[in-house]
């Protein structure tokens, strides 16, 4: 996948995909086999770990969707972007900021996540 904006959009699509098989297919497309995902609440390695994390987030925040909160900023093999989680077209209940490192194969090898706004109790 050559376009970083498209890569980030597909990555966010994985977070919105509720069908497990379809989500795993998207993750295989955008994420390296041994990718590492780290945010303040979880740190996992590999697509299975991220898939389980996404499923848990969907279980907790069912019906909400992830969307880009602005433009993707990228240089070399690094991109950063803000994401929103909330009802489609409404005020987000959570806002975060991710930095992704893209491997030589064009897939994401590392995600470093930060949470800027989270619901109480998370």
């Amino acid at each position: 996948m050559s376009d970083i904006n498209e890569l980030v959009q597909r990555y966010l699509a994985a977070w919105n995909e509720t069908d497990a098989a379809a989500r795993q297919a998207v993750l295989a497309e955008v994420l390296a086999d041994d990718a590492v995902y780290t945010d303040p609440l979880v740190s996992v390695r590999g697509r299975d770990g991220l898939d389980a994390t996404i499923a848990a987030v969907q279980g907790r925040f069912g019906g909400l969707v992830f969307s880009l909160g602005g433009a993707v900023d990228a240089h070399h093999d690094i991109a950063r972007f803000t994401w929103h989680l909330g009802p489609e077209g409404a005020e987000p209940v959570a806002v975060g900021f991710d930095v992704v490192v893209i491997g030589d194969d064009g897939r994401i090898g590392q995600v470093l996540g930060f949470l800027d706004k989270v619901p109480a109790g998370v």
Side-chain angles (χ1 to χ4, degrees), residues 14-15 17-18 20 23 49-62:
W15 282 87
E17 182 56 64
T18 56
R23 182 175 58 246
L50 184 55
D51 181 55
T53 298
I54 292 171
V57 169
Q58 289 176 350
R60 175 122 191 207
F61 298 103

Side-chain angles (χ1 to χ4, degrees), residues 13-101:
W15 282 87
N16 290 325
E17 182 56 64
T18 56
D19 177 85
R23 182 175 58 246
Q24 290 165 0
V26 175
L27 288 174
E29 175 188 337
V30 301
L31 208 65
D33 297 343
D34 61 347
V36 176
Y37 174 91
T38 307
D39 72 20
L41 303 174
V42 67
S43 182
V44 296
R45 179 176 292 276
R47 289 193 296 260
D48 289 342
L50 184 55
D51 181 55
T53 298
I54 292 171
V57 169
Q58 289 176 350
R60 175 122 191 207
F61 298 103
L64 303 182
V65 294
F66 284 90
S67 61
L68 270 178
V72 176
D73 183 25
H75 64 83
H76 297 85
D77 61 351
I78 303 167
R80 65 181 180 165
F81 57 93
T82 298
W83 52 262
H84 293 166
L85 174 64
E88 196 161 349
E91 184 71 23
V93 298
V95 176
F97 177 88
D98 286 1
V99 175
V100 296
V101 179

